[in-house]
Amino acid sequence: MISQYWVDQIPARPIVIDIMDSDGITANLSGYTNISAYLIDERNKEVDITGYTLDVSNKSNGRLVFGFPTGKSVFTDPGDYMLQIELKTVTNNVTTALDYTNAHQIVVKALGGVYR
């Protein structure tokens, strides 16, 4: 799945992410206690997504909903960005499981001209 956005865009619509296991079956994520999102820009540098939302209310059916931060764009340059979800189980302050989803590609374009 690839999403396309524009430089300086502040997306209003969230990205719905359906997590599948290696057999292509919906993954039950109920065992994970901490679920976080990370965004990497075209230079493989982590993007500050402070203020993002992640709806995990349907994690037993493998569905997460990522909402972009509001009030500022996270897309400052054109290029390929990658969104990845970290799935973690923490028990008594000890990480007992740590998994990552496949990266979701986000293509960011700029229409004409030279950009930053």
Side-chain angles (χ1 to χ4, degrees):
M1 177 185 223
I2 299 174
S3 298
Q4 181 179 306
Y5 298 99
W6 297 93
V7 169
D8 295 331
Q9 182 175 350
I10 304 171
R13 296 187 62 179
I15 296 176
V16 176
I17 303 165
D18 291 314
I19 310 292
M20 306 293 188
D21 67 15
S22 58
D23 295 322
I25 298 170
T26 300
N28 183 342
L29 307 176
S30 296
Y32 295 104
T33 56
N34 299 57
I35 301 177
S36 305
Y38 296 93
L39 184 64
I40 305 297
D41 71 11
E42 71 286 346
R43 291 183 221 66
N44 205 33
K45 189 174 156 197
E46 189 171 345
V47 175
D48 179 8
I49 55 173
T50 301
Y52 79 91
T53 59
L54 191 60
D55 180 352
V56 298
S57 62
N58 201 4
K59 68 181 182 176
S60 64
N61 291 317
R63 177 164 281 184
L64 307 173
V65 181
F66 173 82
F68 288 94
T70 58
K72 67 171 183 150
S73 177
V74 296
F75 304 127
T76 56
D77 295 299
D80 291 337
Y81 290 62
M82 296 292 171
L83 176 68
Q84 188 173 50
I85 306 298
E86 179 183 84
L87 307 162
K88 191 186 291 189
T89 302
V90 178
T91 307
N92 297 325
N93 293 324
V94 175
T95 299
T96 58
L98 178 60
D99 292 306
Y100 295 92
T101 64
N102 291 338
H104 173 82
Q105 183 179 7
I106 297 174
V107 176
V108 177
K109 294 186 174 192
L111 188 60
V114 177
Y115 230 85
R116 293 177 233 233

